[in-house]
Amino acid sequence: MDEKKVRVGLAGYGTVGCGVAKIILEQADSIAAKTGIRLELGCVVDLDTESKRPVELPEGLLCDDINCILNDDTIGIGVELIGGTGAAKDLQLAMLRAGKDVVTANKALLAEYGEELFGCARENGRCIAFEASCAGGIPIVSAIRSGLTANRIESMYGIVNGTCNYILSNMTSKGIGFEEALLAAQQLGYAEADPTLDINGGDSAHKLAILASLALGCQIHLDDIYVEGIEGISRDDIHYGGEMGYCLKLLAICDHTEDGKVSLRVHPSFISKDDSLANVNGAFNAVSIFGNAVGELTFYGRGAGMMATASAVVADIIDVAIGNSRAAFESLNMRSHEEIKDDIVGIGESVSRFYVRLMVKDQPGVFSQIATILSENSISISGILQHEGEGPDNTVPVVMTTHPTRQSKVSAAIESLDGLDTVCSEPVCIRIVDIPEDKD
Amino acid sequence: MDEKKVRVGLAGYGTVGCGVAKIILEQADSIAAKTGIRLELGCVVDLDTESKRPVELPEGLLCDDINCILNDDTIGIGVELIGGTGAAKDLQLAMLRAGKDVVTANKALLAEYGEELFGCARENGRCIAFEASCAGGIPIVSAIRSGLTANRIESMYGIVNGTCNYILSNMTSKGIGFEEALLAAQQLGYAEADPTLDINGGDSAHKLAILASLALGCQIHLDDIYVEGIEGISRDDIHYGGEMGYCLKLLAICDHTEDGKVSLRVHPSFISKDDSLANVNGAFNAVSIFGNAVGELTFYGRGAGMMATASAVVADIIDVAIGNSRAAFESLNMRSHEEIKDDIVGIGESVSRFYVRLMVKDQPGVFSQIATILSENSISISGILQHEGEGPDNTVPVVMTTHPTRQSKVSAAIESLDGLDTVCSEPVCIRIVDIPEDKD
């Protein structure tokens, strides 16, 4: 087989950039043997050309001038790994206008400006490949875009942020609090110095916007997605939920209501310990997709990290070089946001089961007060957990789970409960997500 | 987006054929909206044009003459779902020579005659798409071929036969014997009337040949693969293995020995109950792949059945129509079997741990005899299980697990043990497979 030489320009020489360079430098021969594509690093651009990196580049390859990529016509593919939505956007647009196909891992940028970037790519006859933007090394973008085209995707449940999953896994297995778990994650490099966008659910929402757009065939906007992070999670609730058979995960969810509307949300979710997503621990990611023909498909792997993400970036580079990505990109017919926006329900209309914990005064009549308020809001209790003689200051935790209920009703009940003088601290309310079971 | 009309000729109107027709007939609109490809059934061919099927075709579409596909130039894609390696092979060759791309789920044919068929496709400038040939609805072929191109695949462990997994799951959960579990599987349609190729491991070997060829980038032949089925498995061994923390699965395995040789095998395997593959129950399939960059990736879903397999077939049809499959097929550079054959080790040289069960006379000195034989063969015991006072005819089961040992040594020891007059029935020997853990 004749080899086709493909020169790559890499913008952003941080963790993932180093991984990409390492694979191209070390695996070019084996990739050429398998695919006929010989990858060559044409240029690596980063503002920081001084710091020591874990991967040594050949002399003269690293520079700080993006024009070295833009003006080099021998470079056919531009890889944007600088992140963020400012300079990265200008850079992707410039690469496309300079006639280069773009490969990126930048979920924030695609979630916010995907339409504009895709439009620019089409105008210039180029493509954008973004497998690495969601769930790192897991080939979930191509699975949804190509593998599941014959399906109507009914629902999708993803653990797509490794930082949150690492923190929640550690809180669960070690019984530690959020702050301690976050600190441990930072010390081990699983959380950034500023972890806000991870723990507040924003990063998961970016990925959900991308995956849901592909799954639904419609442009999904970030503000279609309800987002709640894990900052407020206490180890007590993980513990009590565990006693009731649940495991806490931050899930990105796309599903349909009974009347066919779409619900998009990211929030802490109690799921059954028997669900396959309950066994996804540490910094790993997993996504379960339910298609009307294929049933359940679950994908599991590393959602972040130097080499796992680089694996997806380089796979995309090869796919672009082969022509696969171009074909896939051109056939990607995403309808406008206009066509779906009225079919998306807000969180108030979404229905789920709930875990509710109240810290109440240990005195007669309290339970009757609580039961009355729930009943007035048509909320039906499915389980109750109250241990004898626990809690500080003569308070005891009362933990309840509900049958499926509309969010707006639960919010109203929580407000009333919070007003009781026997309820001593703000009620805790966590959604219970019943992931469908595809069984024989 | 302009629609591209693509006419499909379907050969074989059995279970999967009905699923494919159903999707094309019912989902053509939504597929066109998502991809710009409008699928149309040009012709459905089956020798049996009379039997009632679960899917009703439009009048005049079903016939028994394959020339209706071959001679119709408006049909660009031929789907071969008749199965087997005889007529199916001639048909695929004829389709390719008639200028049609081929989509197939026929693993037996690809495993045996893949080289010839791929060669014919290349000569005629066509492609063969075969996502549905392995693990049904799980997009594992494209994951290995495209998603993991940047990786050296170090090992692969697959539950790729739903019939065997259904039988073993039932034997495990219900404590029933093989015959009873097989009968139940047949009654529920999870096993064929003649289940030989499923339960003897042959079907898993076909799939392993295809997946390993892609993973290694070399033509793998069926006789490179050691195959052992589940016919001889007793519920006692599932029970004892379970007591020791193991779960029995039929695994298709591709891994490397310490000195870099390739080992390819299908056999009943005890795996840790904590491994994710241990939770794959019923007719489901799953494949865990370990790449040098990406780490572990695990894929889970339905490996068979009308709609799951049809989902993969139709995804392939769309991929061919888009041009993806063509690009991927042309870039698939599979080296010849000559280049790898000396690097494949036979089962005798493979190393693993073993589960051994002996039914021995309950008398003094027996254990010493056993220990001596194991020691003479340099086999080190890692665990022993012997319950008091069990077994018929004054025999007791002695169950042992070994440390990693070369197969040839274990075979020699088993032969010696079998020769002891205190060992009352043929020793049982099952491999224990330690699937790597990719952990933080």
Side-chain angles (χ1 to χ4, degrees):
Chain A
M1 189 189 243
D2 288 342
E3 278 183 12
K4 179 179 164 192
K5 197 168 82 173
V6 173
R7 279 165 64 80
V8 175
L10 188 56
Y13 198 49
T15 305
V16 176
C18 284
V20 172
K22 184 178 162 73
I23 293 176
I24 295 180
L25 293 172
E26 293 178 1
Q27 312 260 70
D29 284 347
S30 73
I31 290 170
K34 268 192 286 190
T35 65
I37 302 292
R38 177 161 295 274
L39 297 182
E40 227 177 74
L41 266 185
C43 179
V44 179
V45 178
D46 198 295
L47 291 181
D48 172 6
T49 59
E50 296 302 323
S51 303
K52 184 92 186 131
R53 314 294 216 284
V55 178
E56 193 90 35
L57 291 176
E59 190 66 26
L61 216 53
L62 183 62
C63 72
D64 60 5
D65 180 7
I66 194 63
N67 289 310
C68 293
I69 295 178
L70 296 175
N71 297 338
D72 184 342
D73 288 341
T74 69
I75 293 178
I77 300 175
V79 181
E80 184 271 297
L81 296 173
I82 61 179
T85 56
K89 182 183 166 202
D90 296 337
L91 176 56
Q92 286 198 21
L93 292 172
M95 284 173 167
L96 294 167
R97 289 180 188 130
K100 295 171 203 322
D101 293 315
V102 168
V103 172
T104 184
N106 193 333
K107 50 233 130 203
L109 182 57
L110 291 178
E112 280 200 51
Y113 299 103
E115 278 175 272
E116 183 180 346
L117 290 162
F118 280 32
C120 176
R122 285 186 210 282
E123 275 165 30
N124 289 279
R126 311 318 309 174
C127 70
I128 301 176
F130 50 95
E131 181 60 73
S133 66
C134 297
I138 305 175
I140 187 78
V141 168
S142 82
I144 297 178
R145 200 181 49 188
S146 306
L148 295 172
T149 30
N151 287 260
R152 194 175 75 90
I153 292 178
E154 290 166 347
S155 56
M156 187 160 68
Y157 304 84
I159 295 171
V160 291
N161 183 280
T163 304
C164 288
N165 203 54
Y166 188 86
I167 291 172
L168 293 176
S169 297
N170 259 343
M171 289 175 72
T172 305
S173 65
K174 299 185 180 151
I176 57 178
F178 175 77
E179 295 300 336
E180 190 182 341
L182 171 59
L183 200 65
Q186 284 172 318
Q187 280 164 351
L188 288 163
Y190 291 119
E192 312 274 346
D194 176 5
T196 313
L197 199 59
D198 290 312
I199 64 174
N200 73 6
D203 173 78
S204 296
H206 289 147
K207 292 163 182 167
L208 180 61
I210 297 171
L211 295 177
S213 295
L214 293 170
L216 301 168
C218 262
Q219 288 290 349
I220 296 301
H221 289 175
L222 275 177
D223 53 17
D224 297 327
I225 302 173
Y226 170 79
V227 186
E228 200 180 300
I230 63 165
E231 313 90 327
I233 295 298
S234 108
R235 64 178 145 185
D236 291 342
D237 293 305
I238 290 181
H239 176 77
Y240 296 134
E243 282 192 50
M244 297 177 102
Y246 298 107
C247 174
L248 191 72
K249 297 290 177 191
L250 182 72
L251 290 190
I253 301 172
C254 166
D255 63 6
H256 290 84
T257 61
E258 274 186 5
D259 51 352
K261 304 265 184 184
V262 177
S263 169
L264 296 160
R265 51 203 203 278
V266 171
H267 55 63
S269 310
F270 274 125
I271 59 176
S272 163
K273 284 184 179 175
D274 293 334
D275 192 89
S276 53
L277 293 186
N279 294 313
V280 177
N281 292 313
F284 279 81
N285 280 195
V287 182
S288 290
I289 303 177
F290 294 79
N292 69 326
V294 79
E296 176 185 350
L297 276 183
T298 294
F299 301 84
Y300 168 90
R302 289 187 172 272
M306 169 167 150
M307 295 315 291
T309 310
S311 163
V313 171
V314 177
D316 260 354
I317 294 173
I318 297 165
D319 248 22
V320 170
I322 287 171
N324 258 350
S325 297
R326 174 73 59 83
F329 188 77
E330 281 169 5
S331 74
L332 190 65
N333 196 18
M334 220 175 270
R335 287 169 295 141
S336 76
H337 185 254
E338 277 300 305
E339 288 192 42
I340 198 167
K341 72 177 176 26
D342 294 335
D343 285 332
I344 297 173
V345 296
I347 191 70
E349 290 166 74
S350 79
V351 172
S352 83
R353 298 200 293 123
F354 289 85
Y355 161 103
V356 176
R357 173 168 61 87
L358 307 171
M359 295 304 295
V360 301
K361 287 190 184 147
D362 195 3
Q363 67 186 43
V366 173
F367 226 96
S368 145
Q369 290 179 311
I370 297 170
T372 304
I373 288 176
L374 293 177
S375 162
E376 282 167 0
N377 288 281
S378 322
I379 297 170
S380 169
I381 297 173
S382 75
I384 297 181
L385 178 74
Q386 187 188 346
H387 292 298
E388 290 183 353
E390 263 190 64
D393 308 325
N394 192 33
T395 65
V396 289
V398 173
V399 175
M400 293 167 295
T401 57
T402 75
H403 283 295
T405 311
R406 194 172 296 270
Q407 166 86 44
S408 50
K409 288 187 180 168
V410 173
S411 302
I414 292 288
E415 207 180 312
S416 302
L417 289 169
D418 200 16
L420 291 178
D421 58 6
T422 47
V423 170
C424 305
S425 60
E426 204 183 330
V428 172
C429 183
I430 297 173
R431 293 167 193 84
I432 299 172
V433 175
D434 295 307
I435 298 178
E437 270 191 287
D438 185 16
K439 264 198 166 172
D440 296 310
Chain B
M1 187 190 244
D2 288 342
E3 278 183 13
K4 179 178 162 193
K5 195 169 84 173
V6 172
R7 280 167 61 81
V8 174
L10 187 56
Y13 198 49
T15 305
V16 177
C18 284
V20 171
K22 183 178 164 72
I23 293 176
I24 296 180
L25 293 171
E26 294 178 2
Q27 313 260 69
D29 284 348
S30 72
I31 291 171
K34 269 192 285 190
T35 65
I37 302 291
R38 177 160 294 275
L39 298 181
E40 226 178 75
L41 267 184
C43 177
V44 180
V45 178
D46 199 296
L47 290 179
D48 172 6
T49 58
E50 296 303 323
S51 303
K52 184 92 185 132
R53 313 295 215 285
V55 177
E56 193 92 35
L57 291 175
E59 190 66 26
L61 216 53
L62 182 63
C63 72
D64 61 4
D65 180 6
I66 195 63
N67 288 310
C68 293
I69 295 179
L70 295 176
N71 296 339
D72 184 342
D73 289 340
T74 69
I75 292 179
I77 300 175
V79 181
E80 184 273 297
L81 295 172
I82 62 179
T85 56
K89 183 183 166 202
D90 295 338
L91 175 56
Q92 286 200 20
L93 292 171
M95 284 172 166
L96 294 167
R97 290 182 187 128
K100 296 171 202 322
D101 293 314
V102 167
V103 172
T104 183
N106 193 332
K107 50 235 133 202
L109 182 57
L110 290 178
E112 280 200 51
Y113 298 103
E115 278 175 272
E116 184 180 345
L117 291 161
F118 280 32
C120 176
R122 285 187 209 281
E123 275 165 31
N124 289 278
R126 312 317 309 176
C127 71
I128 301 176
F130 50 96
E131 182 60 75
S133 66
C134 297
I138 305 174
I140 186 77
V141 167
S142 82
I144 297 179
R145 201 181 48 188
S146 306
L148 294 172
T149 30
N151 287 259
R152 195 176 75 89
I153 292 178
E154 290 165 347
S155 57
M156 188 161 67
Y157 305 83
I159 295 172
V160 291
N161 183 279
T163 305
C164 287
N165 203 53
Y166 187 86
I167 291 171
L168 292 177
S169 297
N170 259 342
M171 289 176 72
T172 304
S173 65
K174 298 186 181 150
I176 57 177
F178 174 78
E179 294 300 336
E180 191 182 339
L182 172 59
L183 199 66
Q186 284 172 317
Q187 281 164 351
L188 288 163
Y190 291 119
E192 311 274 347
D194 176 4
T196 313
L197 199 59
D198 290 313
I199 63 173
N200 73 7
D203 173 77
S204 295
H206 289 147
K207 292 162 181 167
L208 180 59
I210 296 170
L211 296 177
S213 296
L214 294 170
L216 301 168
C218 262
Q219 288 290 348
I220 296 301
H221 289 175
L222 275 178
D223 52 17
D224 297 327
I225 302 172
Y226 170 80
V227 186
E228 201 179 299
I230 64 165
E231 314 90 326
I233 296 297
S234 107
R235 64 176 145 185
D236 291 342
D237 293 305
I238 290 181
H239 176 77
Y240 296 133
E243 284 193 47
M244 299 176 100
Y246 298 107
C247 174
L248 192 72
K249 296 290 178 190
L250 182 72
L251 290 191
I253 302 171
C254 166
D255 63 7
H256 289 85
T257 61
E258 276 186 4
D259 51 351
K261 304 266 182 182
V262 177
S263 170
L264 296 159
R265 51 204 202 276
V266 171
H267 55 64
S269 310
F270 274 124
I271 59 176
S272 163
K273 283 182 179 175
D274 294 333
D275 192 89
S276 53
L277 294 186
N279 294 314
V280 177
N281 292 314
F284 279 82
N285 280 195
V287 182
S288 290
I289 303 178
F290 294 80
N292 69 326
V294 80
E296 177 184 350
L297 276 182
T298 294
F299 302 84
Y300 169 91
R302 291 189 171 269
M306 171 168 149
M307 295 314 290
T309 309
S311 162
V313 170
V314 177
D316 260 354
I317 293 173
I318 297 164
D319 248 21
V320 169
I322 288 170
N324 258 348
S325 296
R326 175 72 59 83
F329 188 76
E330 281 170 5
S331 75
L332 189 65
N333 195 18
M334 219 175 270
R335 287 169 295 143
S336 77
H337 184 254
E338 277 300 305
E339 288 192 43
I340 198 168
K341 71 179 173 36
D342 294 336
D343 285 332
I344 298 173
V345 297
I347 190 71
E349 289 165 76
S350 79
V351 172
S352 83
R353 297 199 294 122
F354 289 84
Y355 161 103
V356 177
R357 173 170 59 88
L358 306 171
M359 296 304 295
V360 301
K361 287 188 185 148
D362 195 3
Q363 67 186 46
V366 174
F367 227 96
S368 144
Q369 288 180 312
I370 296 170
T372 305
I373 287 176
L374 293 177
S375 162
E376 283 167 359
N377 287 281
S378 323
I379 297 170
S380 169
I381 298 172
S382 74
I384 297 180
L385 178 75
Q386 187 187 346
H387 291 299
E388 290 183 353
E390 262 191 64
D393 308 327
N394 193 33
T395 64
V396 288
V398 173
V399 175
M400 293 166 297
T401 57
T402 75
H403 283 296
T405 312
R406 193 171 296 272
Q407 166 87 43
S408 51
K409 286 186 184 172
V410 172
S411 302
I414 292 288
E415 206 180 313
S416 301
L417 289 168
D418 201 16
L420 292 177
D421 58 6
T422 46
V423 171
C424 304
S425 61
E426 206 183 329
V428 172
C429 182
I430 298 173
R431 292 168 194 85
I432 299 172
V433 175
D434 295 308
I435 298 178
E437 270 190 287
D438 186 15
K439 265 199 167 170
D440 296 311

